[in-house]
Amino acid sequence: MITLALSKGRIYDDSLPLLRAAGVEVLEDPESSRKLILATSRADLRVVLVRATDVPTYVQHGGADIGVAGLDVLLEHDSTGLYRPLDLRIARCRMSVATRDDFDYAAAVRQGSRIRVATKYTHTARQFFADKGVHVDLIKLYGSMELAPLTGLADAIVDLVSTGSTLKANHLVEVEKIMDISSRLVVNQAALKLKREPIRALIEAFEAAVAEGVRR
Ligand code: ATP
Ligand code: MG
């Protein structure tokens, strides 16, 4: 049995067409069934639904053999025991710095001020600002980052942006892009050895689907 870890929402939705192209149909709809383990058209492959940030943990410790996780999540996570063979090019967005529209970010950077940055992505943000030589106080949050500059908790946030409409609705502006983000396939290194043939075949099928540009 091969266990594939996915998170509900964007990653699940965007993974379905890739799975289909690889000849795999998920037999249950997670929205209506509430099940966390989903059977597929292949008797030897099942899908487990976990929180996006838990996907690397499941795959690392063998709760799943393979998984799909955003680069944002992977960069915050220790990669021991994780093999990362493929960029699936799904759930694409960017990680950016955003501030209130009345905050002069360029001036703060130029003057070498300490900037208070709220984010879920403390590891990536610390690295990014250190490389730029910008002094920051990082504030770890687990959600609703947009609120931080509006309440005075922080001067800036580091968050994922796709259309920018959430920022705009909260009077925030994207002031700097940190990196492009997409979801990656991750594989448990031990599983890759023990279940080499079926896992190799799956990776290759995904690879072909990505190369063909299969997307939602
Ligand atoms: P939860 O919503 O359960 O707290 P989460 O915010 O990590 O968890 P999602 O919002 O479903 O979960 O995001 C899952 C992944 O999808 C992220 O890790 C990221 O890689 C990608 N993602 C997040 N936001 C966007 C976006 N705006 N556009 C495209 N992809 C995104
Ligand atoms: Mg979310």
Side-chain angles (χ1 to χ4, degrees):
M1 176 66 77
I2 297 176
T3 302
L4 164 66
L6 298 175
S7 55
K8 262 204 220 181
R10 233 174 310 249
I11 288 184
Y12 180 81
D13 296 345
D14 286 7
S15 294
L16 283 187
L18 288 176
L19 281 167
R20 201 164 291 139
V24 179
E25 293 285 341
V26 182
L27 299 178
E28 284 146 313
D29 174 10
E31 298 305 330
S32 57
S33 81
R34 290 170 170 237
K35 283 189 185 166
L36 297 176
I37 301 182
L38 310 175
T40 74
S41 53
R42 272 180 52 175
D44 67 336
L45 179 69
R46 62 180 185 172
V47 169
V48 293
L49 297 174
V50 305
R51 263 316 262 279
T53 44
D54 290 336
V55 168
T57 308
Y58 267 81
V59 175
Q60 205 162 33
H61 298 287
D65 300 301
I66 58 179
V68 177
L71 179 62
D72 52 316
V73 165
L74 292 172
L75 291 176
E76 294 295 312
H77 203 278
D78 152 47
S79 63
T80 316
L82 278 184
Y83 170 60
R84 216 164 88 184
L86 197 56
D87 180 355
L88 297 172
R89 304 178 63 79
I90 59 170
R92 289 162 86 167
C93 55
R94 56 193 183 273
M95 190 182 291
S96 292
V97 183
T99 67
R100 259 169 66 153
D101 52 16
D102 58 1
F103 181 80
D104 195 342
Y105 175 73
V109 167
R110 213 182 318 113
Q111 291 157 12
S113 319
R114 273 197 103 77
I115 302 175
R116 291 169 307 149
V117 179
T119 186
K120 187 156 125 178
Y121 306 107
T122 46
H123 186 80
T124 309
R126 181 172 292 112
Q127 190 69 50
F128 173 74
F129 289 110
D131 289 348
K132 276 173 69 81
V134 171
H135 299 290
V136 291
D137 289 322
L138 289 171
I139 301 164
K140 171 82 180 183
L141 289 179
Y142 293 89
S144 303
M145 262 92 82
E146 304 83 19
L147 195 56
L150 305 179
T151 53
L153 179 70
D155 305 309
I157 59 173
V158 166
D159 199 1
L160 301 180
V161 185
S162 48
T163 62
S165 54
T166 306
L167 292 180
K168 199 166 177 195
N170 290 295
H171 307 283
L172 300 176
V173 286
E174 187 178 357
V175 290
E176 193 168 16
K177 179 170 105 170
I178 297 178
M179 66 177 79
D180 288 312
I181 297 289
S182 57
S183 288
R184 315 292 163 111
L185 200 64
V186 287
V187 181
N188 176 283
Q189 272 172 357
L192 188 59
K193 289 195 187 112
L194 294 168
K195 308 177 187 177
R196 183 162 187 90
E197 285 317 314
I199 289 181
R200 270 278 142 222
L202 256 187
I203 294 172
E204 273 161 30
F206 277 128
E207 219 157 23
V210 174
E212 272 170 41
V214 173
R215 243 182 264 158
R216 195 143 70 108

